[in-house]
Amino acid sequence: MHGRPRKSATPVDENASALKAAKIRSLQSQFLQNHHNNIYTKEAQEINAKLIESNPEFMTAWNYRKLAFEHNLSNQSEVDKEDADHIKLIIDEELRVVENALRKNFKSYGAWHHRKWVISKGNSSTERELRLLNLFQKQDTRNFHAWNYRRFIAGLKDISDEKELQFTTDMINDNFSNYSAWHNRSVLLSHLLEKKVEGYFPKEIFLKEEYELVRNAVFTDPDDQSGWFYHLWLLDQTIKVDMPNLVSSWPPNGSEITNTTFPIVLFFNEPVEGVNLQTVSVQVEDDIFKNIAWSPLSANKFKCGQAWLTHLTIPFGETNSSKIFQVKIRSEYSQGIISSNGVPCSQHWSIAFRVSVCHDFQPEGQSLRRILMTDENFSTVDINSNVMDLFKSYFELASDYEQPTSSKWKSEMIASEIDQYRELLSWAECKIGKLTLARLLMANDAIGTPVAPNTTHVEEVLKLYSELMELDPTHYQYYKDEYSLVFLKQVASSKESLMKYCRQYKESTSSNITGPMCLRLNSLSLSRIGSFERLLWVQSLDLSHNQLPSIEGLEALQLLSCLNLSHNKIGSFMALDPLRFLKSLRVLNISYNEIGAHTVDTRRYLCSSPLSHTLDYDKKFEEFAAGDEKVVNFWEAYSVFGGLDIMQLDVVGNVAADERFKLFLVKLLPALKWLDGEEVH
Amino acid sequence: MAETESYPPIDPTNFDLIVVGTGLPESIIAAAASTAGKSVLHLDLNPHYGSHYSSLTLQDLTSFLNAQSPNPNINPHQSDTDTTAIDVITRPLYSDIEISSYDDSVVESSRKFNLDLAGPRVLFCADLAVDLLLKSTANQYVEFKNIDASYVCDGNGNLMNVPDSKSAVFKDKTLKYSEKNQLNSLFKLVQGHLEAVKSVETGVDDEKVISEEDLDSPFVMFLDKMKLPPKIKSIILYAIAMVDYDQDAGESCKDVLRTRDGIDRLALYHSSVGRFPNALGALIYPIYGQGELPQAFCRRAAVKGCLYVLRMPVISVLLHKDSGNYKGVKLVSGQEITSNKLVMDPSFTVTSSPSESPQDVSKFFDAGTISGKLARGICITKSSLKPDASSCLVIYPPRSLYPDQATSIRVLQLGSSLAVCPSGMFVFYISVVCDNALEGKKSLHAAIDSLFSAHTSGTTDSCSTDQIDSTEVKPTLLWSALYVQDLFEGLMGPVVMTPTPDGNLNYNDLLHTTSKLFQQLYPDDEFFPETSNTDSSDKLEDDSEVGIES
C-alpha cells in the first residue's frame, strides 16, 4: 500500500471512470430520493449498499444506513424480537457492506466509523473482527485506521495489553518501519504503567528493553524515522519528573526586597492548576492574608499555567520608621495543585523573604527622559556596587527549591544511551545520531545534579546543533530553536554566566524604570527564548537584533519594565500577546519587525488570536473605535496594549506603523510620552 | 520379447521437433516450442518425468543412480538405403556412489520419499524460474513453501542466522550494532545503485551509481573498500551472493566475482524478500520436490499439443546418407520418426565404434567434455538441525570446515511439510563444486560430520532422549547417498544438447542457457511470448502470485 508509484490513467481507464461516474450518479439520485422520503425497503437498502461499495466516502450514505439499521431493528415483528438470529442477520448484513467498502478503500473514515458504530450495538462476534483485522493489518501494516480499530476491538474484547504489546513486537519484527506499531507500543506501555501491571511497573523495568529494541531499529537504519519518535517518547518517560513541583519564585526564598507593592510569581516545572487560597497561604509577619487572588500567567482559558501571579501590598503607614516585614508563602494543601494530566503536587514547599520598607523612595519620575538601549548608554557592571549584592541574593538563593532527587537508574540509563549514540556517530555521520545525542546530553545535564543547573555538556550540544543546521538545512529552524534554548539555558545557569550579559546604565536617573541593570541578549541570533524560571528578577531586557518570531513565556517576567525587541521577526501584534500580562512595562521597542508584513500570518498558531476565543470581546473597544471604522483593524494592538501604561514606544520600521496607526496609539496609550523618538504632547 | 511388443506405435511420424529426455531444460524447450505452435514429440526412456532433474522414491533414486551403465547394444536394424543410423547410448553421469543405511525404517518407507537428484536447489522469489513459471502460466501446476531460515557457519563451527534483510538485521541477536549498520548500509547502497541504474536508463541522472571502476573490480575488494569486517563479508559473499570459490584466495581463485555481478546477486536476493506477500523469506521450494518443475512445463507443453511418450528409449539417430544432415530418430520399438530438429538430454552419446566415419559422428555429437564435477549428498534424519526451523539452508563458506576447503558447501534441510519425506523425518541435500571425486567426497564428509552425529546402533534412541533438553543435539544420520555428478554445459549443434544440473542453488544459469538454446533453435519465435491480453498482464503485475502455502 505504501511506496507504490501511481500509474497515469490510460484512455481506457478514463472511459471506465466516466462510466463508473455515470453509474454512481444514477445510484446517488435514487438513493437520495429514498433518503428524503425515509424509504427503508430492502430494495432501497440494496441501492444504498451498491452506492457505498462504489463510493465508500459518501457520508450521507452511511448516515442513511444507520437510520435504516435502527429502522430494521425496531420494525421487526414481536416474534422476531425474540429471535436473536434475526438480529444477528441484520448485523451481519451491515458488517458485510462495511467489509466490501473497506475492500474498496482501506482508508475510508466513514466505513471504519460505521463498523465501530455497528459493533458498539453489541450482539456480534469480536472474534471475527479480530480475524478481519489480522488480515487487513497484514496487507497494509501501517494503516492507522486499522490500528485505531484494533485498539477499539481490543478494548471491547478486553484483550490484555500484554498480548497487544506482543502483536506490536511481531509487527515491528516484520518491518520496523511502522510508525503505527511504535505508536501503539507507547500507548500500551503507558496503560500498563498506569495500571501498575507487574513487569511494567516501575517503568525502569521495561525502559531498558525498549531502549534496546529501538536502538536496533535506529542503528540498523539511521535514516528510518519511525523509531526516532519512539526514542523521543522513551527519553521523555525517562527524564519526566512524575509530579508537578515548584522550581522558582519571585521574590526568591531568603531574599530582601524594598517595594511595598510587588508581584509574587510561583514558577512550576509544568503547567498546573489549583493555585488558590486553600492550596497556598501568604503570611506577612503573623497575618495570613485572605484577600489574595492567584491567576495563571497564561493566555489560554484552561485555568492552567506554569507560572502563577498575585500582587501583594504590605500594609504600613502606622509608623514612619523603616520596618522589615517577614513574608512567608507556603503550600498548605499541595494535593490541590494538579498538573495538566491530573497528577497532584506531593511535595510541600515554603518561601520566606523580607520586605524592607523605606520611606525615602521617590515616586516614578513623571518627566521621563527617553531611554535608549544602545551600547554607548551601558557600562559593565561595577562589581563593587550594591547592585551586585542584590544580584547575588537572587542567585545564590535561587537554587534553594528542593527538587526530588532523581533515581540512579535514570542517570545510568541515559549514560549508557549516550555511550551507544557516541559509538553510532563514530562510524556513521547521521542526523538522528547527532540530534538524539544532543537530547540525551541535555537530559543528562537535567537529571545529573538536582541542586544547580548542570551545564557540563552544553558546549557539545551547541556544537551538535550547529552541525545539524548545516547537515540538514530542511529542518534548520528547528535546530536553531533548540540551539537558542540550550544557549539561554547556559546563560541563565549561573551568576557568572549571566554577569557576562548584564550591563549597567550609565545614567542612573531613570533607574526606577530600568532597574539597576539590563540583561542584554541582543545580536545572538536567537529564534526562541526560554529559561524564564531563572530570569524572574529581570527588569530591563534587550532582545534586539535576534530572529524571534514570538515571545511566548515572557509573561513570567513580572518585573519587566524596559523591553527592546527591535530588529526581530515579530509578525503580528498577537505575537506580542504575552505583553498583556506585563503590567510594569513602561518602555517598549518593537521597531523594525515584520508586523503587518504578512497578510496571512502563518505563525498565528504560535499565539492566541481573536478567533481562538481566548480573549473576551471587549465592549470598550467599540466605544473607543466609534467614529473611525478603520480602527477596527487595530483590534490586535488594542487587545495587547490596551491595559498597559506604556510611556515610551518605538514602532517604526513595521509595515503596520503608518501615521494613522500612530495617532491610534497616542489615543490608546494616555501615558505615552515618547513615540518613535518624538515627544508626545 | 513381450515387452518390446508393448511399445505403442507413434502417430504421426513426422514432427517439427523431437525432444529426448524430460529434464527441466528439455521440458521448457518442449513447452516453449509447443507454445510457438511447433509440433513436438517429447520422449523419455524412464518411466517418470524429470530425467536428471526428477524427484524419486528412495528405491528409485538408488536404482537411477546405479542404472547408468551403458545400454546393451541392440543390433542395428537394416535402414533405408538413403539413411544412416548412429546408435546412441546413455553415458554414466554419476560415479563414486556411496549409499549407507543405518536404520531400516528409512528404506521401509521408501515410497514416502520424493528425493531430488539435483539437490540442494531452491527458487528465489524473484529469480528467472519464478518469472518463467508465471510467464508460461506453468505456475498453476506447482505449489511452494518458504524455506524457514538460513544459516552460515562462522569460523568456529557455529551456525549463525543469515541476516539477509532489513528486518532480519533488526531482529538478529548476534550482530553488533555497528555490524547491523554496516550490513544495512550495504543493502541500501545496492538498492540506491539499482534505482540509479534504472533512472539512468530512463534518462534521469543520479549520483549514487557505483563507479564503473568499482563495478569491474572484484566484489571482495569492493567489500573491503566499504570496510566490512570478515564476518559480514563472508555472509554477503557466500550466504547471500552464493559464491562457490574462496574470494580471498587472490590469484588462485578460480572464479572471481565482479562487483557488478555481486550487486546483481544481492539485488536478486533482495527483490526476492517480500516479492510475494505470503512468502516470508527469499527462498521457496516446490511441494513434492524439484521434480514438479519439469512436470509442470511438460503439462504446459501437453496443453499446447506436445505428444508425450515415456519408457521409450531412442536407439539411434538417423541421418540423410547423402547430405549427412539430421533426419530423425529410431525408437526402441523399431519405429522411425522424423523431425526437423532434435534436442537431447546430455547423458546421451554415440557408441564408441560406429561403422560410419568418425567425423560425421562427432559433427553431430560434439557433446563436449566434462566441464566440472559436483559432489552431491542426500542424508536422512529423524530430527531437525534447529528446533524452530523445519526447512533451512546452511552455508559452509570456504575454509570454514577445514583449512583447505576450497569451495562453499551448501546444505538444504527439508521437512515433511514439503511432502518430500515421511512425517517426523528430515531430508538434507548437500552439494559442493569440486575438481575431483576425492576432494568432493572430503567436503561432503566434513559437512556430514559437522551436521550429524554418527549412528550408534541400538543405543541411539535412549541417547537422544537423554540429551533432549540440551539444545545442541545434532541429528543422527539414518541414511545417506553420496555421489559425484559430471557437469556438461548445453551445446548447440545439429542436435541440441541440454545442460546437466549445475552446482548453483537456483536455476538462473540453467534457464539462461535454455532460453539461448531455444533462441538458436527458433530465432524467429519468442521464448514464451507475453500474453496479448492486457487485462491478464495487468493482473500479473498487481497480484501475480505463485501458490505459496504458509
Side-chain angles (χ1 to χ4, degrees):
Chain A
M1 303 304 125
H2 293 270
R4 293 193 182 185
R6 262 172 213 272
K7 284 179 203 157
S8 56
T10 64
V12 180
D13 294 339
E14 277 166 15
N15 278 340
S17 70
L19 220 73
K20 199 179 137 193
K23 194 183 128 205
I24 289 179
R25 264 197 298 278
S26 124
L27 279 172
Q28 197 160 308
S29 62
Q30 288 178 67
F31 153 71
L32 284 173
Q33 198 164 8
N34 290 333
H35 191 19
H36 288 311
N37 300 319
N38 298 332
I39 298 170
Y40 302 114
T41 59
K42 203 158 181 250
E43 293 71 37
Q45 290 187 37
E46 264 164 25
I47 287 172
N48 169 277
K50 265 189 209 154
L51 179 62
I52 274 178
E53 271 168 45
S54 16
N55 178 18
E57 300 305 310
F58 191 28
M59 293 300 168
T60 315
W62 289 112
N63 287 338
Y64 170 84
R65 282 212 80 78
K66 290 189 181 67
L67 291 171
F69 181 80
E70 303 279 15
H71 175 88
N72 290 344
L73 282 186
S74 61
N75 271 38
Q76 48 190 310
S77 64
E78 283 304 313
V79 189
D80 282 348
K81 269 188 187 158
E82 305 294 312
D83 191 359
D85 283 354
H86 187 78
I87 298 176
K88 203 171 165 295
L89 222 66
I90 296 175
I91 288 175
D92 282 353
E93 168 62 15
E94 217 44 44
L95 293 177
R96 191 191 61 78
V97 171
V98 178
E99 199 174 322
N100 285 342
L102 287 177
R103 276 186 212 291
K104 173 92 182 168
N105 182 6
F106 264 2
K107 298 178 179 174
S108 162
Y109 283 85
W112 285 108
H113 181 263
H114 191 70
R115 200 169 185 88
K116 259 189 190 176
W117 183 83
V118 174
I119 295 288
S120 324
K121 299 274 162 196
N123 285 318
S124 47
S125 148
T126 43
E127 195 58 51
R128 181 181 55 188
E129 296 308 293
L130 212 58
R131 273 203 307 275
L132 191 74
L133 266 175
N134 285 340
L135 198 78
F136 273 143
Q137 289 190 291
K138 206 170 190 177
Q139 289 192 36
D140 187 359
T141 56
R142 301 195 277 195
N143 186 329
F144 68 86
H145 297 274
W147 281 94
N148 233 335
Y149 189 64
R150 189 177 186 90
R151 278 191 287 275
F152 168 74
I153 290 294
L156 258 183
K157 225 174 122 54
D158 219 4
I159 300 176
S160 75
D161 289 332
E162 280 129 309
K163 215 168 148 194
E164 284 297 288
L165 192 69
Q166 184 55 47
F167 179 77
T168 65
T169 312
D170 293 345
M171 293 297 274
I172 288 167
N173 275 339
D174 276 355
N175 182 3
F176 64 80
S177 187
N178 189 334
Y179 291 87
S180 302
W182 288 110
H183 168 69
N184 205 30
R185 208 172 170 78
S186 68
V187 171
L188 292 165
L189 284 171
S190 302
H191 285 178
L192 288 163
L193 183 63
E194 213 172 287
K195 287 187 265 175
K196 305 197 176 177
V197 174
E198 200 187 333
Y200 299 92
F201 180 86
K203 58 189 171 189
E204 54 264 38
I205 296 177
F206 70 80
L207 278 177
K208 190 164 182 284
E209 278 175 33
E210 294 303 305
Y211 271 122
E212 267 164 35
L213 186 71
V214 74
R215 194 185 304 141
N216 273 314
V218 172
F219 282 45
T220 300
D221 189 355
D223 294 336
D224 190 314
Q225 306 180 4
S226 48
W228 302 1
F229 290 97
Y230 192 65
H231 191 275
L232 197 58
W233 179 76
L234 288 179
L235 185 57
D236 187 51
Q237 290 297 308
T238 313
I239 56 169
K240 196 166 92 183
V241 180
D242 296 318
M243 59 192 115
N245 203 41
L246 187 73
V247 288
S248 76
S249 70
W250 180 264
N253 188 23
S255 62
E256 182 170 328
I257 58 165
T258 53
N259 306 42
T260 50
T261 297
F262 55 91
I264 299 175
V265 176
L266 299 178
F267 205 100
F268 293 86
N269 60 340
E270 60 180 315
V272 294
E273 55 182 296
V275 177
N276 53 39
L277 277 176
Q278 280 75 49
T279 51
V280 177
S281 69
V282 178
Q283 184 180 353
V284 181
E285 292 296 304
D286 293 331
D287 295 338
I288 298 212
F289 274 46
K290 285 291 178 193
N291 57 344
I292 297 276
W294 290 99
S295 60
L297 279 170
S298 157
N300 70 41
K301 274 195 156 182
F302 302 111
K303 293 188 173 133
C304 192
Q306 193 168 10
W308 285 76
L309 169 73
T310 193
H311 285 89
L312 189 64
T313 304
I314 301 292
F316 78 109
E318 306 94 53
T319 60
N320 265 359
S321 60
S322 308
K323 196 185 170 192
I324 292 176
F325 292 87
Q326 286 288 344
V327 181
K328 214 169 183 184
I329 300 167
R330 243 198 347 240
S331 64
E332 286 299 321
Y333 173 62
S334 56
Q335 269 82 3
I337 300 173
I338 296 165
S339 76
S340 49
N341 49 1
V343 182
C345 181
S346 63
Q347 204 139 359
H348 284 278
W349 41 263
S350 78
I351 307 155
F353 56 89
R354 282 170 300 161
V355 182
S356 55
V357 180
C358 348
H359 279 278
D360 56 340
F361 89 104
Q362 292 166 348
E364 256 176 32
Q366 292 302 307
S367 57
L368 171 77
R369 289 178 62 185
R370 190 166 138 78
I371 293 164
L372 285 170
M373 285 191 183
T374 48
D375 290 346
E376 59 271 19
N377 290 325
F378 289 108
S379 64
T380 48
V381 177
D382 178 7
I383 34 172
N384 298 318
S385 77
N386 56 351
V387 172
M388 277 307 289
D389 296 337
L390 206 60
F391 195 62
K392 259 187 205 161
S393 83
Y394 300 154
F395 271 90
E396 276 154 20
L397 302 165
S399 55
D400 259 9
Y401 303 89
E402 209 176 306
Q403 299 302 313
T405 48
S406 55
S407 328
K408 202 174 154 208
W409 67 264
K410 292 190 177 184
S411 36
E412 280 174 357
M413 216 168 258
I414 289 185
S416 111
E417 280 298 287
I418 288 175
D419 290 345
Q420 296 287 356
Y421 277 84
R422 280 198 204 282
E423 202 200 321
L424 172 65
L425 288 175
S426 73
W427 26 263
E429 165 120 342
C430 62
K431 54 184 185 180
I432 184 56
K434 283 179 195 279
L435 181 58
T436 307
L437 182 60
R439 286 168 175 168
L440 284 166
L441 290 170
M442 286 315 286
N444 184 69
D445 283 1
I447 63 164
T449 48
V451 185
N454 178 347
T455 54
T456 325
H457 294 108
V458 163
E459 288 300 332
E460 189 181 352
V461 173
L462 290 177
K463 188 166 160 277
L464 285 168
Y465 280 121
S466 311
E467 287 167 6
L468 280 166
M469 283 184 245
E470 275 193 23
L471 196 67
D472 181 18
T474 322
H475 302 103
Y476 179 86
Q477 198 54 47
Y478 174 79
Y479 301 130
K480 180 138 191 88
D481 288 356
E482 292 299 304
Y483 183 98
S484 302
L485 291 177
V486 173
F487 178 79
L488 280 180
K489 195 164 238 168
Q490 185 191 29
V491 169
S493 66
S494 71
K495 190 184 74 189
E496 289 70 27
S497 60
L498 267 169
M499 278 307 289
K500 286 186 211 147
Y501 295 93
C502 283
R503 294 291 180 276
Q504 231 169 338
Y505 285 97
K506 275 182 179 162
E507 294 180 57
S508 55
T509 44
S510 47
S511 70
N512 44 21
I513 286 177
T514 60
M517 26 182 195
C518 178
L519 179 61
R520 299 202 74 200
L521 299 171
N522 57 326
S523 309
L524 293 168
S525 75
L526 301 176
S527 60
R528 265 187 88 176
I529 44 175
S531 298
F532 300 108
E533 73 277 12
R534 310 212 24 105
L535 302 173
L536 299 179
W537 53 273
V538 174
Q539 274 178 271
S540 181
L541 179 62
D542 184 359
L543 287 169
S544 62
H545 297 275
N546 282 305
Q547 293 160 20
L548 298 172
S550 123
I551 53 168
E552 210 187 341
L554 203 69
E555 62 272 14
L557 311 190
Q558 281 296 313
L559 302 189
L560 205 59
S561 58
C562 283
L563 176 61
N564 187 355
L565 285 169
S566 66
H567 297 277
N568 272 291
K569 292 182 184 256
I570 305 286
S572 71
F573 284 110
M574 289 322 288
L576 296 171
D577 191 52
L579 297 182
R580 280 198 294 132
F581 298 93
L582 300 177
K583 302 297 182 197
S584 313
L585 196 63
R586 297 291 174 270
V587 178
L588 176 65
N589 187 348
I590 50 170
S591 60
Y592 302 102
N593 272 284
E594 298 167 6
I595 301 172
H598 309 281
T599 39
V600 177
D601 185 1
T602 53
R603 286 163 291 187
R604 173 148 271 171
Y605 68 93
L606 289 173
C607 349
S608 55
S609 83
L611 297 175
S612 70
H613 301 290
T614 58
L615 299 168
D616 292 317
Y617 185 69
D618 193 340
K619 275 227 165 123
K620 260 168 67 189
F621 178 70
E622 251 174 299
E623 286 163 29
F624 186 81
D628 187 355
E629 60 191 33
K630 299 241 165 133
V631 170
V632 178
N633 296 339
F634 306 139
W635 195 92
E636 291 189 345
Y638 172 79
S639 79
V640 174
F641 297 136
L644 297 179
D645 289 328
I646 292 178
M647 300 165 85
Q648 178 184 323
L649 181 63
D650 290 89
V651 293
V652 68
N654 287 294
V655 175
D658 55 11
E659 281 309 312
R660 254 192 42 250
F661 183 70
K662 284 188 181 181
L663 284 175
F664 165 75
L665 286 176
V666 172
K667 255 161 99 183
L668 181 65
L669 302 167
L672 198 63
K673 291 269 183 285
W674 295 92
L675 180 60
D676 286 336
E678 286 172 27
E679 201 156 1
V680 178
H681 297 289
Chain B
M1 283 197 294
E3 261 189 43
T4 1
E5 285 160 20
S6 72
Y7 289 118
I10 294 169
D11 178 52
T13 55
N14 183 41
F15 291 87
D16 290 331
L17 172 69
I18 294 176
V19 181
V20 183
T22 54
L24 187 65
E26 301 95 87
S27 304
I28 290 172
I29 289 174
S34 311
T35 306
K38 314 289 175 205
S39 61
V40 184
L41 173 67
H42 202 169
L43 304 167
D44 197 319
L45 65 92
N46 297 300
H48 55 80
Y49 288 91
S51 299
H52 300 281
Y53 295 81
S54 57
S55 304
L56 301 170
T57 67
L58 195 126
Q59 217 77 65
D60 288 349
L61 179 100
T62 313
S63 42
F64 190 86
L65 286 175
N66 287 310
Q68 297 295 313
S69 49
N71 312 13
N73 230 339
I74 297 161
N75 283 338
H77 280 254
Q78 196 57 48
S79 302
D80 299 343
T81 43
D82 58 345
T83 305
T84 314
I86 308 170
D87 292 343
V88 291
I89 53 164
T90 54
R91 57 180 162 187
L93 220 52
Y94 308 103
S95 60
D96 301 273
I97 301 157
E98 228 181 288
I99 293 175
S100 337
S101 180
Y102 309 99
D103 190 313
D104 291 342
S105 66
V106 176
V107 183
E108 278 159 17
S109 43
S110 153
R111 302 214 64 78
K112 289 182 181 163
F113 286 97
N114 281 308
L115 299 178
D116 297 345
L117 271 167
R121 203 172 288 272
V122 293
L123 280 75
F124 290 53
C125 287
D127 71 8
L128 287 176
V130 174
D131 288 344
L132 196 62
L133 280 167
L134 290 170
K135 206 171 146 190
S136 66
T137 67
N139 60 317
Q140 55 190 304
Y141 308 115
V142 213
E143 273 200 286
F144 293 89
K145 269 194 175 175
N146 280 120
I147 298 300
D148 297 335
S150 140
Y151 305 99
V152 62
C153 180
D154 67 5
N156 311 317
N158 301 316
L159 295 183
M160 315 182 290
N161 251 310
V162 177
D164 51 6
S165 65
K166 188 171 154 184
S167 70
V169 171
F170 168 71
K171 275 186 280 189
D172 196 281
K173 299 259 189 281
T174 54
L175 292 172
K176 289 189 226 147
Y177 291 117
S178 58
E179 293 170 335
K180 290 188 170 204
N181 189 270
Q182 287 163 329
L183 252 176
N184 197 59
S185 301
L186 182 73
F187 293 165
K188 277 168 78 178
L189 182 82
V190 171
Q191 213 160 17
H193 170 75
L194 292 174
E195 273 161 23
V197 167
K198 217 186 268 170
S199 64
V200 163
E201 280 165 5
T202 56
V204 191
D205 246 351
D206 203 309
E207 286 173 16
K208 261 187 177 171
V209 188
I210 300 166
S211 75
E212 284 298 312
E213 194 192 334
D214 277 342
L215 286 175
D216 290 331
S217 72
F219 193 38
V220 67
M221 275 172 64
F222 179 74
L223 297 178
D224 282 334
K225 206 173 146 186
M226 302 257 315
K227 299 198 181 81
L228 296 176
K231 184 170 128 190
I232 303 291
K233 253 171 46 188
S234 165
I235 290 173
I236 290 169
L237 285 171
Y238 305 109
I240 296 179
M242 306 293 177
V243 176
D244 284 321
Y245 290 95
D246 185 356
Q247 300 294 304
D248 283 316
E251 298 282 296
S252 62
C253 178
K254 271 194 189 161
D255 187 10
V256 178
L257 184 72
R258 300 280 140 194
T259 304
R260 192 184 307 277
D261 302 321
I263 300 268
D264 281 348
R265 292 196 189 190
L266 255 60
L268 169 66
Y269 200 103
H270 270 251
S271 38
S272 292
V273 178
R275 173 172 186 191
F276 302 111
N278 48 350
L280 294 173
L283 313 178
I284 50 175
Y285 185 88
I287 300 175
Y288 302 111
Q290 294 291 348
E292 291 296 296
L293 295 181
Q295 279 196 65
F297 283 101
C298 288
R299 291 174 80 168
R300 186 76 213 126
V303 167
K304 294 283 177 186
C306 174
L307 186 64
Y308 276 86
V309 185
L310 295 188
R311 296 172 225 258
M312 184 62 87
V314 167
I315 55 165
S316 48
V317 171
L318 306 174
L319 308 178
H320 287 286
K321 200 164 219 163
D322 303 336
S323 61
N325 287 340
Y326 165 77
K327 183 183 176 196
V329 294
K330 185 171 189 179
L331 307 176
V332 72
S333 61
Q335 194 179 7
E336 290 181 2
I337 315 272
T338 55
S339 70
N340 294 330
K341 311 267 187 181
L342 177 66
V343 172
M344 290 185 105
D345 100 30
S347 57
F348 288 98
T349 187
V350 290
T351 44
S352 49
S353 56
S355 50
E356 309 306 321
S357 72
Q359 277 90 359
D360 280 353
V361 174
S362 65
K363 191 174 129 197
F364 287 100
F365 284 92
D366 188 12
T369 45
I370 298 171
S371 61
K373 279 181 187 295
L374 272 174
R376 298 197 194 268
I378 305 173
C379 299
I380 293 167
T381 69
K382 274 189 176 159
S383 57
S384 170
L385 211 52
K386 298 272 176 179
D388 50 349
S390 108
S391 60
C392 64
L393 182 70
V394 180
I395 310 287
Y396 292 100
R399 287 179 287 116
S400 64
L401 282 175
Y402 55 95
D404 52 349
Q405 178 198 343
T407 52
S408 21
I409 305 168
R410 289 187 278 268
V411 183
L412 179 67
Q413 176 198 302
L414 301 173
S416 57
S417 62
L418 288 160
V420 295
C421 58
S423 97
M425 290 204 190
F426 295 88
V427 181
F428 291 76
Y429 295 104
I430 313 171
S431 81
V432 60
V433 177
C434 57
D435 286 339
N436 54 60
L438 198 70
E439 189 194 301
K441 283 293 185 68
K442 186 181 173 189
S443 294
L444 290 186
H445 282 294
I448 287 170
D449 290 347
S450 161
L451 287 164
F452 311 114
S453 62
H455 194 283
T456 46
S457 56
T459 59
T460 339
D461 286 338
S462 58
C463 252
S464 54
T465 18
D466 286 347
Q467 296 173 347
I468 208 118
D469 46 2
S470 139
T471 47
E472 283 303 304
V473 184
K474 288 181 177 180
T476 307
L477 186 60
L478 304 181
W479 185 92
S480 69
L482 311 184
Y483 50 97
V484 174
Q485 181 213 312
D486 292 341
L487 278 174
F488 295 97
E489 285 159 13
L491 263 178
M492 188 63 208
V495 172
V496 174
M497 301 299 279
T498 53
T500 54
D502 61 13
N504 295 337
L505 194 59
N506 62 25
Y507 290 105
N508 270 11
D509 287 358
L510 283 169
L511 294 184
H512 263 302
T513 313
T514 305
S515 80
K516 230 188 270 166
L517 290 177
F518 178 83
Q519 284 312 329
Q520 284 167 325
L521 263 175
Y522 296 113
D524 299 330
D525 287 298
E526 210 182 318
F527 185 60
F528 293 111
E530 297 284 354
T531 37
S532 54
N533 193 335
T534 44
D535 277 350
S536 73
S537 77
D538 268 353
K539 209 169 168 227
L540 273 183
E541 201 62 44
D542 284 333
D543 42 35
S544 66
E545 270 182 33
V546 288
I548 298 165
E549 277 191 10
S550 35

